[in-house]
C-alpha cells in the first residue's frame, strides 16, 4: 500500500489483482485496509474474504465474512452513501 493511496484506490487495485488471478498480491494490498480499526471498510473485508476463499484459506475468510454480514445487518440500505458499498459487498460474498 502506498501512503498516498486512498481506500477507494487500494480497493480498486486489489480488485483488479483478484480478477486477474493474482490473489496473493490482492491479499497483500487489501489486508492493511481490511484490518484498519479506525474506519470500517466493508468492501475491503468482502474482498479479503473472497481472496482467502479463492486461495484455499477458507478459515481465514470467516472473520471478514462475519464483519460484512454484521455491517449489512446494521447499515441502512437506503443510505445514498452505502448503496454502492452494499452492492459490492453482496456481490463479493456471493462470488464462487
Amino acid at each position: 500500500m502506498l501512503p498516498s493511496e486512498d481506500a477507494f484506490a487500494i480497493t480498486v487495485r486489489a480488485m483488479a489483482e483478484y480478477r486477474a488471478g493474482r490473489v496473493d498480491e490482492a491479499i497483500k494490498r487489501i489486508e492493511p485496509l481490511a484490518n484498519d480499526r479506525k474506519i470500517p471498510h466493508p468492501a475491503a473485508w468482502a474482498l479479503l474474504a473472497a481472496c482467502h476463499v479463492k486461495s484455499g484459506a477458507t478459515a481465514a475468510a470467516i472473520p471478514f465474512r462475519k464483519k460484512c454480514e454484521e455491517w449489512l445487518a446494521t447499515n441502512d440500505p437506503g443510505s445514498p452513501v452505502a448503496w454502492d458499498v452494499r452492492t459490492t459487498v453482496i456481490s463479493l460474498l456471493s462470488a464462487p
Side-chain angles (χ1 to χ4, degrees):
M1 179 168 73
L2 300 173
S4 62
E5 286 185 303
D6 65 13
F8 179 76
I10 293 166
T11 304
V12 169
R13 288 186 66 183
M15 178 66 76
E17 290 166 341
Y18 170 80
R19 294 194 65 198
R22 296 188 304 266
V23 179
D24 291 336
E25 291 89 348
I27 290 172
K28 287 177 191 168
R29 182 168 309 280
I30 202 70
E31 206 163 34
L33 187 60
N35 288 317
D36 183 355
R37 298 194 186 276
K38 296 176 192 166
I39 301 170
H41 299 285
W45 303 332
L47 179 55
L48 185 55
C51 287
H52 282 311
V53 169
K54 197 169 191 175
S55 73
T58 307
I62 293 170
F64 294 100
R65 186 174 177 89
K66 284 185 179 182
K67 287 173 92 167
C68 288
E69 291 168 351
E70 290 170 6
W71 182 83
L72 285 169
T74 60
N75 188 272
D76 177 13
S79 169
V81 175
W83 74 268
D84 60 331
V85 176
R86 286 182 67 81
T87 303
T88 301
V89 169
I90 291 167
S91 297
L92 283 166
L93 290 180
S94 58

